[in-house]
Amino acid sequence: MTTDARIRTGGRLLVDQLLAQGVERVACVPGESYLAALDALHDAAIEVLVCRAEGGAAMMAEAYGKLTGRPGICFVTRGPGATNACHGVHIAMQDSTPMILFVGQVDTAMREREAFQELDYRAVFGSMTKWTVEIDRPDRVPELVARAFRVAMQGRPGPVVVALPEDMLVATAEVVDAPFVAPARSWPAPEDLDALARLLAAARSPLVIVGGSGWDEVGVRGMAAFAERFRLPVATSFRRASLFPADHPNYAGELGIGPDSRLKARLAEADLVLLVGGRFSEMASGSYTLLDVPVPRQALVHVHPGAEELGRVYQAALSIQATPAAFARALDALAPAGEPAWAGTAEAAHAEYRAWTETPRILPGAFQYGAVIAWLRDRLPPDAILCNGAGNYAGWLHRHYRFRRFGTQLAPTSGSMGYGVPAAVMAKRQHPERIVVALAGDGCFLMNGQEFATAVQYGAAIVVIVVDNGQYGTIRMHQEREYPGRVVGTQLTNPDFAMQARAFGGHGERVARTEDFAPAFERALASGKPAILHCLLDPRAESHAKDFAPRRTASA
Protein backbone atom coordinates (compact mmCIF):
# COMPACT_ATOMS: atom_id res chain seq x y z
CA MET A 1 0.00 0.00 0.00
CA THR A 2 1.25 3.46 -0.85
CA THR A 3 0.83 6.27 1.65
CA ASP A 4 1.96 8.92 -0.83
CA ALA A 5 -0.03 9.94 -3.89
CA ARG A 6 1.42 8.89 -7.24
CA ILE A 7 0.12 8.88 -10.78
CA ARG A 8 -1.35 5.54 -11.88
CA THR A 9 -3.90 4.27 -14.38
CA GLY A 10 -7.28 3.15 -13.18
CA GLY A 11 -6.29 -0.46 -13.91
CA ARG A 12 -3.11 -0.18 -11.85
CA LEU A 13 -4.98 1.58 -9.04
CA LEU A 14 -7.54 -1.23 -9.00
CA VAL A 15 -4.97 -4.00 -8.69
CA ASP A 16 -3.04 -2.05 -6.07
CA GLN A 17 -6.22 -1.87 -4.00
CA LEU A 18 -6.61 -5.64 -4.20
CA LEU A 19 -3.05 -6.00 -2.95
CA ALA A 20 -3.78 -3.54 -0.15
CA GLN A 21 -6.73 -5.71 0.88
CA GLY A 22 -4.62 -8.86 1.03
CA VAL A 23 -6.09 -10.59 -2.02
CA GLU A 24 -4.19 -13.80 -2.76
CA ARG A 25 -5.87 -15.00 -5.94
CA VAL A 26 -8.62 -14.06 -8.35
CA ALA A 27 -10.74 -16.08 -10.74
CA CYS A 28 -11.46 -14.69 -14.18
CA VAL A 29 -12.48 -15.18 -17.77
CA PRO A 30 -10.51 -12.58 -19.77
CA GLY A 31 -12.22 -9.87 -21.77
CA GLU A 32 -11.19 -6.89 -23.83
CA SER A 33 -13.30 -4.59 -21.69
CA TYR A 34 -10.86 -4.80 -18.78
CA LEU A 35 -7.52 -5.34 -20.52
CA ALA A 36 -5.88 -2.57 -18.49
CA ALA A 37 -6.73 -4.38 -15.25
CA LEU A 38 -5.41 -7.66 -16.67
CA ASP A 39 -2.20 -5.91 -17.63
CA ALA A 40 -1.80 -4.63 -14.07
CA LEU A 41 -2.28 -8.18 -12.76
CA HIS A 42 0.68 -9.30 -14.90
CA ASP A 43 3.19 -7.88 -12.44
CA ALA A 44 1.15 -8.29 -9.24
CA ALA A 45 1.69 -10.88 -6.52
CA ILE A 46 -1.81 -12.23 -7.09
CA GLU A 47 -2.53 -15.64 -8.60
CA VAL A 48 -4.85 -15.38 -11.60
CA LEU A 49 -6.97 -18.48 -12.14
CA VAL A 50 -8.11 -18.43 -15.76
CA CYS A 51 -11.43 -20.26 -15.98
CA ARG A 52 -13.40 -21.68 -18.87
CA ALA A 53 -16.77 -20.03 -18.18
CA GLU A 54 -17.87 -17.07 -16.09
CA GLY A 55 -20.31 -19.12 -14.02
CA GLY A 56 -17.49 -21.34 -12.84
CA ALA A 57 -15.21 -18.38 -12.18
CA ALA A 58 -17.85 -16.67 -10.04
CA MET A 59 -18.48 -19.86 -8.08
CA MET A 60 -14.73 -20.17 -7.42
CA ALA A 61 -14.74 -16.65 -6.00
CA GLU A 62 -17.78 -17.45 -3.87
CA ALA A 63 -16.02 -20.56 -2.53
CA TYR A 64 -13.03 -18.41 -1.57
CA GLY A 65 -15.37 -16.19 0.45
CA LYS A 66 -16.73 -19.23 2.28
CA LEU A 67 -13.23 -20.54 2.98
CA THR A 68 -11.66 -17.31 4.24
CA GLY A 69 -14.38 -14.89 5.33
CA ARG A 70 -12.78 -12.27 3.03
CA PRO A 71 -14.38 -11.40 -0.31
CA GLY A 72 -13.66 -13.75 -3.18
CA ILE A 73 -12.67 -11.81 -6.30
CA CYS A 74 -13.86 -12.50 -9.83
CA PHE A 75 -13.22 -10.58 -13.06
CA VAL A 76 -15.47 -10.96 -16.10
CA THR A 77 -16.10 -9.00 -19.24
CA ARG A 78 -19.20 -6.97 -20.02
CA GLY A 79 -22.57 -8.16 -21.30
CA PRO A 80 -22.64 -11.97 -21.69
CA GLY A 81 -19.66 -12.31 -19.36
CA ALA A 82 -21.57 -10.51 -16.64
CA THR A 83 -24.81 -12.40 -17.15
CA ASN A 84 -22.98 -15.73 -17.13
CA ALA A 85 -21.49 -14.77 -13.76
CA CYS A 86 -24.95 -14.21 -12.24
CA HIS A 87 -24.98 -17.82 -11.03
CA GLY A 88 -22.15 -17.22 -8.58
CA VAL A 89 -23.50 -13.83 -7.50
CA HIS A 90 -26.89 -15.32 -6.66
CA ILE A 91 -25.23 -18.07 -4.60
CA ALA A 92 -23.23 -15.46 -2.70
CA MET A 93 -26.42 -13.52 -1.93
CA GLN A 94 -28.50 -16.45 -0.70
CA ASP A 95 -25.53 -18.01 1.13
CA SER A 96 -24.46 -14.68 2.72
CA THR A 97 -20.93 -14.98 1.31
CA PRO A 98 -18.58 -12.00 0.85
CA MET A 99 -17.67 -11.66 -2.82
CA ILE A 100 -16.80 -8.91 -5.30
CA LEU A 101 -17.44 -9.24 -9.02
CA PHE A 102 -15.52 -6.78 -11.21
CA VAL A 103 -17.20 -6.35 -14.58
CA GLY A 104 -15.95 -4.59 -17.69
CA GLN A 105 -18.14 -1.79 -19.01
CA VAL A 106 -18.39 0.24 -22.19
CA ASP A 107 -16.55 3.54 -22.57
CA THR A 108 -18.37 6.25 -20.61
CA ALA A 109 -18.85 8.28 -23.81
CA MET A 110 -20.95 5.43 -25.27
CA ARG A 111 -23.32 4.86 -22.36
CA GLU A 112 -27.08 4.91 -22.87
CA ARG A 113 -26.72 4.00 -26.59
CA GLU A 114 -26.95 0.23 -26.09
CA ALA A 115 -23.37 -0.02 -27.29
CA PHE A 116 -21.74 -3.39 -27.90
CA GLN A 117 -22.56 -5.63 -24.90
CA GLU A 118 -23.71 -2.66 -22.82
CA LEU A 119 -25.80 -3.38 -19.73
CA ASP A 120 -27.13 -1.32 -16.86
CA TYR A 121 -25.47 -3.30 -14.07
CA ARG A 122 -27.42 -1.61 -11.32
CA ALA A 123 -30.60 -2.88 -12.94
CA VAL A 124 -29.24 -6.34 -13.80
CA PHE A 125 -27.71 -7.09 -10.40
CA GLY A 126 -29.84 -4.89 -8.17
CA SER A 127 -31.92 -7.68 -6.66
CA MET A 128 -29.02 -10.08 -6.03
CA THR A 129 -26.30 -7.88 -4.56
CA LYS A 130 -25.78 -5.77 -1.48
CA TRP A 131 -24.42 -2.98 -3.64
CA THR A 132 -23.72 -2.39 -7.33
CA VAL A 133 -21.55 0.55 -8.36
CA GLU A 134 -19.87 1.91 -11.50
CA ILE A 135 -16.55 3.73 -11.07
CA ASP A 136 -16.46 6.68 -13.45
CA ARG A 137 -13.16 8.28 -12.40
CA PRO A 138 -9.82 6.65 -11.55
CA ASP A 139 -9.26 8.90 -8.53
CA ARG A 140 -12.26 7.23 -6.85
CA VAL A 141 -10.96 3.67 -7.29
CA PRO A 142 -9.36 3.40 -3.81
CA GLU A 143 -12.41 4.87 -2.09
CA LEU A 144 -14.98 2.70 -3.85
CA VAL A 145 -13.02 -0.54 -3.81
CA ALA A 146 -12.44 -0.19 -0.06
CA ARG A 147 -16.15 0.45 0.36
CA ALA A 148 -16.92 -2.64 -1.73
CA PHE A 149 -14.83 -4.77 0.63
CA ARG A 150 -16.55 -3.27 3.64
CA VAL A 151 -20.06 -3.73 2.26
CA ALA A 152 -19.32 -7.33 1.26
CA MET A 153 -18.18 -8.24 4.79
CA GLN A 154 -20.20 -6.13 7.23
CA GLY A 155 -23.63 -6.94 8.58
CA ARG A 156 -25.04 -9.84 6.62
CA PRO A 157 -22.17 -10.64 4.21
CA GLY A 158 -22.90 -10.81 0.51
CA PRO A 159 -21.87 -9.92 -3.03
CA VAL A 160 -20.92 -6.56 -4.51
CA VAL A 161 -20.64 -5.81 -8.24
CA VAL A 162 -18.21 -3.13 -9.44
CA ALA A 163 -18.44 -2.01 -13.07
CA LEU A 164 -15.26 -0.75 -14.76
CA PRO A 165 -15.66 1.48 -17.83
CA GLU A 166 -12.87 0.91 -20.35
CA ASP A 167 -11.77 4.55 -20.51
CA MET A 168 -11.64 4.82 -16.71
CA LEU A 169 -9.17 1.92 -16.55
CA VAL A 170 -6.68 3.66 -18.86
CA ALA A 171 -7.14 7.17 -17.49
CA THR A 172 -4.72 8.33 -14.80
CA ALA A 173 -5.03 9.88 -11.37
CA GLU A 174 -2.74 10.90 -8.53
CA VAL A 175 -4.18 9.36 -5.38
CA VAL A 176 -3.15 7.31 -2.34
CA ASP A 177 -4.27 3.75 -1.64
CA ALA A 178 -7.05 3.02 0.81
CA PRO A 179 -6.06 1.24 4.04
CA PHE A 180 -6.77 -2.41 4.76
CA VAL A 181 -10.44 -2.95 5.57
CA ALA A 182 -11.20 -4.80 8.79
CA PRO A 183 -14.98 -5.11 8.97
CA ALA A 184 -16.81 -3.64 11.93
CA ARG A 185 -18.28 -6.43 14.02
CA SER A 186 -21.36 -6.22 16.19
CA TRP A 187 -21.27 -7.74 19.70
CA PRO A 188 -24.13 -8.68 22.02
CA ALA A 189 -24.87 -6.15 24.73
CA PRO A 190 -24.58 -7.28 28.37
CA GLU A 191 -28.34 -6.96 28.76
CA ASP A 192 -28.78 -9.30 25.77
CA LEU A 193 -26.73 -11.96 27.53
CA ASP A 194 -28.67 -11.38 30.75
CA ALA A 195 -31.94 -11.86 28.87
CA LEU A 196 -30.62 -15.04 27.24
CA ALA A 197 -29.59 -16.37 30.66
CA ARG A 198 -33.10 -15.76 32.01
CA LEU A 199 -34.69 -17.55 29.05
CA LEU A 200 -32.37 -20.51 29.49
CA ALA A 201 -33.13 -20.67 33.21
CA ALA A 202 -36.86 -20.85 32.45
CA ALA A 203 -36.57 -23.39 29.61
CA ARG A 204 -37.37 -27.08 29.85
CA SER A 205 -36.57 -28.25 26.32
CA PRO A 206 -34.19 -25.89 24.46
CA LEU A 207 -32.52 -26.46 21.08
CA VAL A 208 -29.66 -24.55 19.44
CA ILE A 209 -29.49 -24.14 15.63
CA VAL A 210 -26.33 -22.74 14.05
CA GLY A 211 -26.08 -21.52 10.47
CA GLY A 212 -25.22 -18.63 8.21
CA SER A 213 -21.78 -17.14 7.66
CA GLY A 214 -19.40 -15.00 9.69
CA TRP A 215 -18.05 -17.88 11.77
CA ASP A 216 -14.45 -18.78 12.49
CA GLU A 217 -12.71 -21.69 14.23
CA VAL A 218 -12.62 -19.90 17.58
CA GLY A 219 -16.32 -19.16 17.35
CA VAL A 220 -17.16 -22.77 16.52
CA ARG A 221 -15.12 -23.96 19.51
CA GLY A 222 -16.81 -21.37 21.71
CA MET A 223 -20.26 -22.57 20.67
CA ALA A 224 -19.25 -26.16 21.40
CA ALA A 225 -17.98 -25.18 24.86
CA PHE A 226 -21.24 -23.29 25.56
CA ALA A 227 -23.26 -26.34 24.52
CA GLU A 228 -21.18 -28.54 26.83
CA ARG A 229 -21.62 -26.24 29.85
CA PHE A 230 -25.38 -26.02 29.38
CA ARG A 231 -25.75 -29.59 28.04
CA LEU A 232 -27.62 -28.24 25.00
CA PRO A 233 -28.40 -30.20 21.81
CA VAL A 234 -27.11 -28.36 18.74
CA ALA A 235 -28.35 -28.76 15.16
CA THR A 236 -26.89 -27.24 12.02
CA SER A 237 -28.97 -25.67 9.29
CA PHE A 238 -29.02 -26.72 5.63
CA ARG A 239 -25.52 -27.25 4.21
CA ARG A 240 -23.83 -25.70 7.24
CA ALA A 241 -22.83 -29.02 8.83
CA SER A 242 -19.20 -28.02 9.39
CA LEU A 243 -20.27 -25.32 11.87
CA PHE A 244 -20.44 -27.95 14.64
CA PRO A 245 -18.34 -31.12 14.86
CA ALA A 246 -20.37 -34.20 14.03
CA ASP A 247 -18.43 -36.30 16.54
CA HIS A 248 -19.30 -33.94 19.40
CA PRO A 249 -21.67 -35.54 21.96
CA ASN A 250 -24.03 -32.55 21.76
CA TYR A 251 -24.51 -32.65 17.99
CA ALA A 252 -28.11 -33.39 17.00
CA GLY A 253 -27.85 -33.40 13.18
CA GLU A 254 -28.70 -31.24 10.18
CA LEU A 255 -32.00 -29.51 9.53
CA GLY A 256 -32.03 -29.64 5.75
CA ILE A 257 -33.83 -31.54 3.02
CA GLY A 258 -35.21 -34.83 4.32
CA PRO A 259 -34.01 -34.51 7.94
CA ASP A 260 -34.46 -37.13 10.62
CA SER A 261 -38.09 -37.03 11.78
CA ARG A 262 -36.89 -37.25 15.40
CA LEU A 263 -34.87 -34.06 15.00
CA LYS A 264 -37.90 -32.31 13.51
CA ALA A 265 -39.92 -33.52 16.50
CA ARG A 266 -37.33 -32.12 18.91
CA LEU A 267 -37.68 -28.72 17.27
CA ALA A 268 -41.46 -28.93 17.37
CA GLU A 269 -41.39 -29.86 21.06
CA ALA A 270 -38.78 -27.27 22.06
CA ASP A 271 -39.85 -24.38 24.26
CA LEU A 272 -36.75 -22.31 23.47
CA VAL A 273 -34.84 -22.11 20.17
CA LEU A 274 -31.50 -20.32 19.97
CA LEU A 275 -30.87 -19.58 16.27
CA VAL A 276 -27.33 -18.30 15.75
CA GLY A 277 -26.11 -16.84 12.47
CA GLY A 278 -28.66 -18.25 10.07
CA ARG A 279 -31.80 -16.96 8.43
CA PHE A 280 -33.60 -20.31 8.79
CA SER A 281 -34.95 -19.92 5.29
CA GLU A 282 -37.03 -22.30 3.19
CA MET A 283 -34.83 -25.41 3.03
CA ALA A 284 -33.71 -25.35 6.66
CA SER A 285 -37.21 -24.60 7.94
CA GLY A 286 -39.09 -27.24 5.96
CA SER A 287 -40.75 -24.61 3.77
CA TYR A 288 -41.34 -22.35 6.77
CA THR A 289 -43.25 -25.03 8.68
CA LEU A 290 -40.83 -25.90 11.51
CA LEU A 291 -41.15 -22.43 13.02
CA ASP A 292 -44.44 -20.59 12.70
CA VAL A 293 -44.39 -17.33 10.74
CA PRO A 294 -44.37 -14.62 11.94
CA VAL A 295 -44.46 -15.63 15.64
CA PRO A 296 -43.00 -19.06 16.45
CA ARG A 297 -44.66 -21.26 19.06
CA GLN A 298 -41.27 -21.62 20.70
CA ALA A 299 -39.53 -18.72 22.40
CA LEU A 300 -37.03 -17.73 19.72
CA VAL A 301 -33.69 -16.06 20.33
CA HIS A 302 -32.35 -14.95 16.95
CA VAL A 303 -28.71 -13.90 16.67
CA HIS A 304 -27.74 -12.39 13.32
CA PRO A 305 -25.23 -9.77 12.16
CA GLY A 306 -27.72 -7.98 9.91
CA ALA A 307 -30.26 -5.70 11.57
CA GLU A 308 -32.47 -5.95 8.47
CA GLU A 309 -32.73 -9.72 8.93
CA LEU A 310 -33.88 -9.65 12.55
CA GLY A 311 -37.67 -9.71 12.52
CA ARG A 312 -37.90 -9.91 8.72
CA VAL A 313 -39.49 -13.37 8.81
CA TYR A 314 -39.60 -14.45 12.45
CA GLN A 315 -40.64 -12.20 15.32
CA ALA A 316 -38.25 -13.33 18.04
CA ALA A 317 -38.67 -13.15 21.78
CA LEU A 318 -35.11 -11.82 21.85
CA SER A 319 -33.24 -10.40 18.85
CA ILE A 320 -29.48 -9.95 19.14
CA GLN A 321 -27.52 -8.17 16.43
CA ALA A 322 -24.08 -9.77 16.54
CA THR A 323 -21.76 -11.69 14.29
CA PRO A 324 -21.82 -15.42 15.12
CA ALA A 325 -18.12 -15.44 15.98
CA ALA A 326 -18.49 -12.48 18.35
CA PHE A 327 -21.60 -13.95 19.97
CA ALA A 328 -19.87 -17.28 20.54
CA ARG A 329 -16.97 -15.54 22.24
CA ALA A 330 -19.35 -13.57 24.46
CA LEU A 331 -20.99 -16.79 25.64
CA ASP A 332 -17.92 -17.45 27.79
CA ALA A 333 -19.58 -15.15 30.35
CA LEU A 334 -22.55 -17.49 30.80
CA ALA A 335 -22.66 -20.52 33.07
CA PRO A 336 -25.63 -22.60 34.28
CA ALA A 337 -26.74 -22.13 37.88
CA GLY A 338 -27.09 -25.87 38.37
CA GLU A 339 -28.18 -29.06 36.68
CA PRO A 340 -30.40 -28.01 33.74
CA ALA A 341 -33.93 -29.33 33.48
CA TRP A 342 -33.16 -30.82 30.07
CA ALA A 343 -30.13 -32.83 31.18
CA GLY A 344 -29.66 -35.89 29.00
CA THR A 345 -31.47 -34.58 25.93
CA ALA A 346 -28.24 -33.68 24.11
CA GLU A 347 -26.89 -37.18 24.56
CA ALA A 348 -30.17 -38.68 23.36
CA ALA A 349 -30.26 -36.38 20.34
CA HIS A 350 -26.68 -37.32 19.43
CA ALA A 351 -27.48 -41.02 19.71
CA GLU A 352 -30.41 -40.52 17.36
CA TYR A 353 -28.17 -38.63 14.93
CA ARG A 354 -25.60 -41.44 14.97
CA ALA A 355 -28.28 -44.03 14.31
CA TRP A 356 -29.83 -41.94 11.52
CA THR A 357 -26.53 -41.54 9.70
CA GLU A 358 -24.86 -44.87 10.39
CA THR A 359 -26.30 -47.43 7.99
CA PRO A 360 -27.23 -46.42 4.44
CA ARG A 361 -30.27 -47.84 2.74
CA ILE A 362 -29.79 -50.70 0.33
CA LEU A 363 -30.29 -49.40 -3.21
CA PRO A 364 -31.16 -51.21 -6.41
CA GLY A 365 -28.14 -51.95 -8.56
CA ALA A 366 -24.52 -53.02 -8.12
CA PHE A 367 -23.25 -49.60 -6.99
CA GLN A 368 -24.32 -48.81 -3.43
CA TYR A 369 -23.82 -45.07 -3.25
CA GLY A 370 -24.67 -44.82 0.44
CA ALA A 371 -22.02 -47.43 1.26
CA VAL A 372 -19.49 -45.37 -0.70
CA ILE A 373 -20.29 -42.24 1.34
CA ALA A 374 -19.96 -44.27 4.55
CA TRP A 375 -16.55 -45.52 3.34
CA LEU A 376 -15.45 -41.94 2.61
CA ARG A 377 -16.65 -40.95 6.08
CA ASP A 378 -14.24 -43.44 7.61
CA ARG A 379 -11.41 -42.97 5.09
CA LEU A 380 -11.04 -39.20 4.79
CA PRO A 381 -9.15 -37.15 7.41
CA PRO A 382 -11.10 -34.56 9.41
CA ASP A 383 -9.62 -31.66 7.41
CA ALA A 384 -10.71 -33.03 4.00
CA ILE A 385 -12.90 -30.55 2.12
CA LEU A 386 -16.04 -31.85 0.42
CA CYS A 387 -17.84 -29.83 -2.24
CA ASN A 388 -21.12 -30.39 -4.03
CA GLY A 389 -23.76 -28.68 -6.09
CA ALA A 390 -27.43 -29.59 -6.15
CA GLY A 391 -29.38 -32.76 -6.81
CA ASN A 392 -30.63 -35.83 -4.99
CA TYR A 393 -27.10 -37.26 -5.03
CA ALA A 394 -26.15 -34.65 -2.39
CA GLY A 395 -28.67 -36.07 0.07
CA TRP A 396 -26.56 -39.18 0.67
CA LEU A 397 -23.54 -36.99 1.40
CA HIS A 398 -25.37 -34.72 3.81
CA ARG A 399 -26.92 -37.65 5.64
CA HIS A 400 -24.06 -40.13 5.91
CA TYR A 401 -20.88 -38.06 5.90
CA ARG A 402 -19.82 -36.51 9.21
CA PHE A 403 -18.13 -33.13 9.01
CA ARG A 404 -15.74 -32.78 11.94
CA ARG A 405 -13.87 -29.55 11.22
CA PHE A 406 -14.87 -25.98 10.51
CA GLY A 407 -14.70 -24.95 6.85
CA THR A 408 -14.76 -28.45 5.36
CA GLN A 409 -18.15 -28.21 3.63
CA LEU A 410 -18.56 -26.12 0.47
CA ALA A 411 -22.11 -26.33 -0.82
CA PRO A 412 -24.66 -23.78 -2.04
CA THR A 413 -27.64 -23.28 0.24
CA SER A 414 -29.21 -21.62 -2.80
CA GLY A 415 -29.43 -25.07 -4.42
CA SER A 416 -27.45 -24.08 -7.48
CA MET A 417 -26.23 -26.89 -9.72
CA GLY A 418 -22.69 -26.96 -11.07
CA TYR A 419 -21.03 -25.66 -7.90
CA GLY A 420 -18.94 -28.61 -6.73
CA VAL A 421 -16.14 -28.67 -9.32
CA PRO A 422 -15.26 -24.93 -9.37
CA ALA A 423 -15.51 -24.79 -5.57
CA ALA A 424 -13.14 -27.75 -5.32
CA VAL A 425 -10.61 -26.10 -7.64
CA MET A 426 -10.51 -23.01 -5.45
CA ALA A 427 -10.35 -25.09 -2.25
CA LYS A 428 -7.38 -27.08 -3.57
CA ARG A 429 -5.52 -23.92 -4.59
CA GLN A 430 -6.20 -22.46 -1.15
CA HIS A 431 -5.28 -25.67 0.70
CA PRO A 432 -3.04 -27.75 -1.57
CA GLU A 433 -2.00 -30.01 1.30
CA ARG A 434 -5.55 -31.21 1.99
CA ILE A 435 -7.72 -33.79 0.23
CA VAL A 436 -10.49 -32.05 -1.71
CA VAL A 437 -13.40 -34.08 -3.09
CA ALA A 438 -16.18 -32.80 -5.33
CA LEU A 439 -19.40 -34.76 -5.70
CA ALA A 440 -21.71 -34.14 -8.63
CA GLY A 441 -24.61 -35.80 -10.35
CA ASP A 442 -24.34 -36.28 -14.09
CA GLY A 443 -26.61 -33.29 -14.70
CA CYS A 444 -24.82 -31.17 -12.10
CA PHE A 445 -21.34 -32.04 -13.39
CA LEU A 446 -21.94 -30.92 -16.96
CA MET A 447 -23.11 -27.50 -15.84
CA ASN A 448 -19.56 -26.52 -14.84
CA GLY A 449 -17.50 -29.62 -15.57
CA GLN A 450 -15.38 -27.59 -17.96
CA GLU A 451 -13.55 -26.24 -14.90
CA PHE A 452 -11.89 -29.66 -14.63
CA ALA A 453 -9.62 -28.20 -17.34
CA THR A 454 -8.81 -25.37 -14.92
CA ALA A 455 -7.90 -27.95 -12.29
CA VAL A 456 -5.51 -29.60 -14.73
CA GLN A 457 -4.00 -26.28 -15.81
CA TYR A 458 -3.15 -25.30 -12.25
CA GLY A 459 -2.33 -28.75 -10.90
CA ALA A 460 -5.27 -28.77 -8.48
CA ALA A 461 -5.44 -32.49 -7.74
CA ILE A 462 -9.09 -32.74 -6.80
CA VAL A 463 -11.10 -35.95 -6.92
CA VAL A 464 -14.46 -35.56 -8.64
CA ILE A 465 -17.04 -38.27 -7.97
CA VAL A 466 -19.65 -38.15 -10.72
CA VAL A 467 -22.79 -40.06 -9.75
CA ASP A 468 -24.42 -40.96 -13.06
CA ASN A 469 -28.02 -42.15 -13.13
CA GLY A 470 -28.78 -40.86 -16.62
CA GLN A 471 -31.29 -38.25 -15.57
CA TYR A 472 -32.08 -35.07 -13.72
CA GLY A 473 -32.93 -37.24 -10.73
CA THR A 474 -34.49 -34.71 -8.38
CA ILE A 475 -36.89 -33.42 -11.00
CA ARG A 476 -37.67 -36.95 -12.18
CA MET A 477 -38.58 -37.92 -8.61
CA HIS A 478 -40.93 -34.94 -8.21
CA GLN A 479 -42.29 -35.50 -11.71
CA GLU A 480 -43.29 -39.07 -10.97
CA ARG A 481 -44.94 -38.02 -7.74
CA GLU A 482 -46.92 -35.14 -9.24
CA TYR A 483 -47.51 -36.45 -12.79
CA PRO A 484 -47.23 -40.26 -12.66
CA GLY A 485 -46.60 -41.96 -15.97
CA ARG A 486 -45.71 -38.70 -17.74
CA VAL A 487 -41.93 -38.49 -17.64
CA VAL A 488 -40.60 -35.81 -19.97
CA GLY A 489 -37.53 -33.58 -20.14
CA THR A 490 -35.54 -35.34 -17.41
CA GLN A 491 -33.67 -38.19 -19.12
CA LEU A 492 -30.03 -37.78 -20.15
CA THR A 493 -27.50 -39.49 -22.42
CA ASN A 494 -24.01 -39.05 -21.00
CA PRO A 495 -20.44 -39.37 -22.24
CA ASP A 496 -17.76 -41.49 -20.62
CA PHE A 497 -16.64 -39.05 -17.92
CA ALA A 498 -13.54 -41.11 -17.07
CA MET A 499 -12.41 -40.84 -20.68
CA GLN A 500 -13.12 -37.11 -20.52
CA ALA A 501 -10.83 -36.80 -17.49
CA ARG A 502 -8.00 -38.51 -19.37
CA ALA A 503 -8.61 -36.35 -22.43
CA PHE A 504 -8.18 -33.25 -20.26
CA GLY A 505 -4.92 -34.62 -18.86
CA GLY A 506 -6.24 -35.99 -15.58
CA HIS A 507 -6.88 -39.41 -14.10
CA GLY A 508 -10.18 -41.14 -14.89
CA GLU A 509 -11.83 -44.42 -13.93
CA ARG A 510 -15.26 -45.91 -14.36
CA VAL A 511 -16.85 -47.54 -11.30
CA ALA A 512 -19.80 -49.87 -11.75
CA ARG A 513 -19.65 -51.86 -8.48
CA THR A 514 -19.37 -50.82 -4.85
CA GLU A 515 -16.30 -52.94 -4.22
CA ASP A 516 -14.44 -51.22 -7.05
CA PHE A 517 -14.77 -47.75 -5.57
CA ALA A 518 -12.22 -47.83 -2.73
CA PRO A 519 -9.26 -49.02 -4.85
CA ALA A 520 -10.23 -46.56 -7.61
CA PHE A 521 -10.32 -43.71 -5.10
CA GLU A 522 -6.89 -44.63 -3.76
CA ARG A 523 -5.48 -44.75 -7.28
CA ALA A 524 -6.99 -41.34 -7.98
CA LEU A 525 -5.24 -39.86 -4.94
CA ALA A 526 -1.99 -41.60 -5.76
CA SER A 527 -2.01 -40.27 -9.33
CA GLY A 528 -1.31 -36.75 -8.11
CA LYS A 529 -3.58 -35.48 -10.89
CA PRO A 530 -7.09 -34.08 -10.96
CA ALA A 531 -9.30 -37.15 -11.20
CA ILE A 532 -12.82 -38.17 -12.13
CA LEU A 533 -14.45 -41.34 -10.84
CA HIS A 534 -17.44 -42.02 -13.08
CA CYS A 535 -19.84 -43.97 -10.84
CA LEU A 536 -22.87 -45.70 -12.36
CA LEU A 537 -25.95 -45.47 -10.16
CA ASP A 538 -29.12 -47.37 -10.91
CA PRO A 539 -31.74 -44.77 -11.98
CA ARG A 540 -34.25 -46.34 -9.60
CA ALA A 541 -32.21 -45.18 -6.59
CA GLU A 542 -34.05 -41.93 -6.11
CA SER A 543 -33.38 -40.66 -2.60
CA HIS A 544 -31.42 -41.25 0.58
CA ALA A 545 -34.55 -40.67 2.64
CA LYS A 546 -37.06 -43.17 1.32
CA ASP A 547 -37.33 -46.76 0.22
CA PHE A 548 -37.06 -47.65 -3.44
CA ALA A 549 -40.24 -46.72 -5.31
CA PRO A 550 -40.62 -48.59 -8.61
CA ARG A 551 -40.98 -46.61 -11.79
CA ARG A 552 -44.40 -46.16 -13.23
CA THR A 553 -43.30 -45.75 -16.83
CA ALA A 554 -42.47 -48.39 -19.40
CA SER A 555 -39.45 -46.37 -20.58
CA ALA A 556 -37.69 -46.97 -17.27
Side-chain angles (χ1 to χ4, degrees), residues 21 30 161 227 259 297 328 355 404 430 468 551:
Q21 299 304 327
V161 170
R297 300 185 305 277
R404 292 163 284 170
Q430 196 69 16
D468 179 4
R551 297 291 187 195

Side-chain angles (χ1 to χ4, degrees), residues 299-311:
L300 174 65
V301 178
H302 192 183
V303 182
H304 197 278
E308 74 285 351
E309 191 61 41
L310 294 168

Side-chain angles (χ1 to χ4, degrees), residues 491-506:
Q491 293 173 285
L492 302 172
T493 299
N494 291 313
D496 184 328
F497 294 115
M499 185 179 294
Q500 179 185 2
R502 295 191 292 271
F504 275 111

